Structure formats: C-alpha cells, structure tokens
Amino acid sequence: MELGNTDPVRAGRRRRVLITGAGGQLGHALRQAFSDDDVTALTRSDWDVALPPSDTVSRGEFDLVLHTAAWTDVDGAEADPQGAAAVNVAGTAHAASLKAPLVAYSTDYVFDGRKRSPYVESDGPNPASAYGRTKLHGEAAAGHQAWVVRTSWLFGSTGNNFLRTMLRLGAERDEVAVVDDQRGSPTYVGHLAEATRELVDIDLPRGLWHVAADGDCTWADFAEAIFDEAGLGTRVRRISAAELERPAPRPAYSVLRSERENAPRLPHWREGLRACLAEMGR
Ligand SMILES: NC(=O)c1ccc[n+]([C@@H]2O[C@H](COP(=O)([O-])OP(=O)(O)OC[C@H]3O[C@@H](n4cnc5c(N)ncnc54)[C@H](OP(=O)(O)O)[C@@H]3O)[C@@H](O)[C@H]2O)c1
C-alpha cells in the first residue's frame, strides 16, 4: 500500500489508523475490523470534524484515515443544510488535510432514484435532498487520492438504525407501518468494515467504489425479515413514503453495484441481518 509517511511494515511497526466518528455504528465496526492495527478512534468529543484538526491530531502521522464522521440526520439536514455541510463537506476536507491515505464514506442518496437497475460508479449523481447534496460535495472534498466508498442503508448492533428501531417497535406492537415503495440494499456495518480492509489491504485503486450488500428489498421487506429472524410475530403494514410526510425526499430506488474490477463483494443483506442479530446475542 502506498503510505502517507514511513511504510509501517518496513519500519517494523503496526499501521497507524485514525477513525473519525468512532462513536457511530460504522466507526464501531471499523474498530473491530482494524483491531490488529494501531488504532486511534476519535469520537465527536475528541475531534469535531467541522473544525480543523488540532495539533495533536495533525502530528499523529497516520498511515490511514477512515473518515466516518458525518451529519447523518437526513431530515434534519433539510432544516439546517449549512450545519450539515459544515460536517459533511468541511469535515471531509479537514480529514483530507491530514495528508494520509483516506477512506471517505458516501451514500446512495447522491442518486435521484429514477433508475430501475443498479447504480454503478459511472452513473451521474443527482441528489434530491440536502443530505445527499452535502455528501456529494463531501466526495469532492475527499480529493482524487481518496477511496470514496458509497454504501447504503447501514445497520449494526449499535447506534440508531432501522434494525434497532424495528426490534424495539416489534417488542411493543402487533403491527408496524413500513414504507414499501423505496428499494435498496441494507448493508451490515460488519461486512462493510471487512470490505474496507480489503480495499486498503489489497491497495485497490483510489476513487469511487460502490460497496453495498448483495440483493435488494424494500424497507417493508426488510422489516418482515427482521421480525422473522428475531422470532417476533409483528405484522408489517405496507405504506407509501408519501404517507410518512418526511421533510427529506429519499430515492425510490438506490441499489448500488460496482462495475469496477476486483471490487469487494459483500454477502446478501439477509446474511448481514443474521450476522448482526448474532452479534446482538439474538
Ligand atoms: N446510516 C446509513 O444508512 C448510511 C448510508 C449510506 C452512507 N452512510 C455514510 O456512512 C458513514 C457512517 O455512517 P453511520 O451510519 O456510522 O453514521 P452514525 O452512526 O450516525 O455515525 C456518525 C458519527 O459521526 C459523528 N459526528 C457527527 N457530527 C460530527 C462532527 N461534527 N464531528 C465529529 N463527529 C461527528 C456522530 O456523533 P454523534 O452521535 O455524537 O452525533 C456519530 O458518532 C457516514 O459517512 C454516512 O454518511 C450512512
């Protein structure tokens, strides 16, 4: 791998890896996947990425930066697009300013969702939401020397995500109303973290990579699979996104696939679901 400073292998030391947003669900999974490395995991209270890195962070001489810190409140970004941009655009520029090889994470929400076959890297983005626009600008802020990993519908054993919400609602109710006219690929953060390791360990070329679970479904399908795998008898009432009247529009279709050679392949989303439930001891 091309390294920012001294090659850690030649220097006889472990790779120094910085994880931003380490308190988030992907940050949590990356800490596990990179546990053989010398990891510095910074939460928002350690480094607010909307601000330039402190001297201590800048002096870290990292071999790799895994930049997960982001404004992920999709609806909240409509009300405060500048706040979202401060984190998703300026924050990514600050991560890139460390001058170490960088992995920056982006989203399927950079697409408008009008396609009906998987989006590949050469498809033109056209975000419909403020969140999607800030993430697209964030991709540019990461620079040409970064791996920009677009992924979708993340879930894990920690944090706020659809899986955890459904497990909570499923325990409380007999029926849950779930959107059935948006289709994507729910991606387990543990699988994405392993794929990130593959990307950097093999030193695949920098640039855009679509990395999401195999298979696709609607949110309602995903909810049914969650209740099924978790042994809950909760019913799913299928509704349209319009019925929810959320502030931010979401793409109706945002399945991601890679058209690039040697792209990391992730297991099917249902396998990710089972792996995540097992991690949660369910
Ligand atoms: N979640 C998804 O479905 C999804 C889909 C596609 C792509 N992505 C992208 O994948 C990446 C990881 O997402 P995730 O699901 O792990 O999100 P997450 O669980 O919300 O984690 C994001 C982390 O960033 C932190 N953060 C927010 N503002 C910050 C700031 N100014 N400085 C430092 N840290 C800050 C958050 O801290 P607080 O908790 O304290 O706010 C949180 O710990 C993001 O780039 C996201 O855009 C996510």
Side-chain angles (χ1 to χ4, degrees):
M1 176 163 83
E2 183 198 320
L3 297 161
N5 303 298
T6 319
D7 182 337
V9 176
R10 264 187 267 146
R13 61 175 175 78
R14 289 191 301 159
R15 180 169 58 179
R16 286 191 289 243
V17 179
L18 173 68
I19 301 176
T20 70
Q25 55 175 345
L26 178 57
H28 177 85
L30 288 168
R31 287 164 87 148
Q32 292 180 331
F34 285 80
S35 58
D36 288 344
D37 294 290
D38 178 1
V39 171
T40 301
L42 301 184
T43 64
R44 184 210 280 257
S45 56
D46 301 315
W47 178 22
D48 177 345
V49 298
L51 304 171
S54 66
D55 288 347
T56 318
V57 174
S58 297
R59 276 197 303 267
E61 298 201 341
F62 296 104
D63 303 307
L64 178 65
V65 174
L66 304 175
H67 178 54
T68 80
W71 177 303
T72 54
D73 176 359
V74 176
D75 290 321
E78 296 297 314
D80 186 5
Q82 276 154 352
V87 184
N88 292 349
V89 188
T92 304
H94 292 146
S97 77
L98 294 171
K99 303 277 181 233
L102 172 70
V103 180
Y105 294 90
S106 188
T107 171
D108 52 328
Y109 285 13
V110 300
F111 294 112
D112 59 22
R114 288 193 202 146
K115 244 184 124 182
R116 284 298 172 269
S117 60
Y119 283 97
V120 292
E121 288 89 347
S122 59
D123 282 319
N126 183 28
S129 63
Y131 168 74
R133 285 188 288 277
T134 62
K135 293 298 291 184
L136 184 60
H137 290 307
E139 291 180 358
H144 295 297
Q145 284 308 306
W147 291 277
V148 175
V149 173
R150 283 191 191 138
T151 189
S152 66
W153 295 26
L154 292 184
F155 65 93
S157 62
T158 64
N160 293 323
N161 60 59
F162 184 83
L163 165 64
R164 283 168 47 94
T165 303
M166 285 304 124
L167 289 175
R168 181 172 46 79
L169 293 178
E172 292 166 0
R173 304 182 190 174
D174 296 333
E175 185 178 270
V176 180
V178 187
V179 168
D180 194 36
D181 56 359
Q182 287 166 359
R183 180 165 288 275
S185 302
T187 302
Y188 171 46
V189 288
H191 289 160
L192 177 59
E194 289 302 329
T196 300
R197 261 196 52 180
E198 201 180 320
L199 202 63
V200 299
D201 287 353
I202 301 175
D203 195 17
L204 288 167
R206 310 293 167 91
L208 259 184
W209 290 89
H210 284 187
V211 185
D214 197 17
D216 56 73
C217 61
T218 67
W219 290 111
D221 297 333
F222 187 32
E224 270 185 0
I226 292 167
F227 297 144
D228 183 30
E229 295 288 347
L232 294 165
T234 319
R235 289 184 309 276
V236 172
R237 186 162 58 84
R238 293 173 181 259
I239 60 168
S240 69
E243 283 174 75
L244 280 187
E245 295 185 348
R246 285 161 122 186
R250 271 98 169 146
Y253 180 94
S254 62
V255 179
L256 301 178
R257 289 291 166 257
S258 183
E259 62 188 350
R260 299 188 64 173
E261 211 177 321
N262 299 324
R265 289 286 306 270
L266 266 60
H268 193 274
W269 61 266
R270 189 137 190 160
E271 239 180 274
L273 170 59
R274 290 195 196 106
C276 189
L277 289 171
E279 186 190 327
M280 297 165 90
R282 298 186 64 123

